[in-house]
Amino acid sequence: MASFARPSLLRQTAMASRCIARPMVARTAFARAAIHTSSKRCGLLPPGPQVVHGTVNDPAPVPTPNAAHGSYHWAFERALAAGLVPLTIAPFAAGSLNPTMDAILCGALVLHSHLGFQSVIVDYFPKSTYPGVHKLFWWLLNLATVTVGVGLYEFETNDVGVTEAIKRVWKA
């Protein structure tokens, strides 16, 4: 019934289901016109290969157990994230600047960011589907992590430090 009243509704929903980018709607005082995207520009990357290995009745492969992955890895990430809360509040609540506390905060922030971006790469660019892109982003993440770590070290040793900089910006 909705398609009888608005024939463009079916066209818009069909395009939205085919493409990642939904059609944009320009809203002006004079007219409301839908700007449709073509199917050639739907995604940034083409869809991954649709390959089925084996048959439907084959069992799923069970990965080998590894202490660095799975529940231990998840528990470490959550403990690090929970530890950031007191590390972030303590320097400002105590009122004193401690370079050791500042260094621990910076190290925890860098490690937390690295693990978060690592999860993004694993989720969105799996090694089995995009091996080249996965490796490229993995190396870019490692390079960015080292760059940020060196930058924070330089800021901590040759400048005022992170907590003092935040205090100064907050009072400005």
Side-chain angles (χ1 to χ4, degrees), residues 12 22-27 32-35:
Q12 288 177 355
R22 295 187 179 206
M24 296 172 49
V25 177
R27 297 170 194 234
R32 292 181 185 206
I35 301 171

Side-chain angles (χ1 to χ4, degrees), residues 153-160:
Y153 173 76
E154 288 294 322
F155 188 66
E156 287 292 322
T157 56
N158 298 329
D159 210 343
V160 293

Side-chain angles (χ1 to χ4, degrees), residues 46-121:
Q50 307 284 326
V51 179
V52 177
H53 299 285
T55 65
V56 177
N57 295 326
D58 289 344
V62 178
T64 57
N66 187 350
H69 294 82
S71 63
Y72 294 118
H73 184 76
W74 185 86
F76 175 73
E77 285 181 351
R78 297 310 167 263
L80 181 65
L84 277 173
V85 174
L87 276 175
T88 305
I89 297 171
F92 302 107
S96 64
L97 295 175
N98 187 350
T100 306
M101 176 87 69
D102 217 15
I104 292 171
L105 173 65
C106 289
L109 283 173
V110 169
L111 186 59
H112 177 73
S113 300
H114 180 81
L115 291 174
F117 281 114
Q118 201 175 49
S119 297
V120 169
I121 292 171

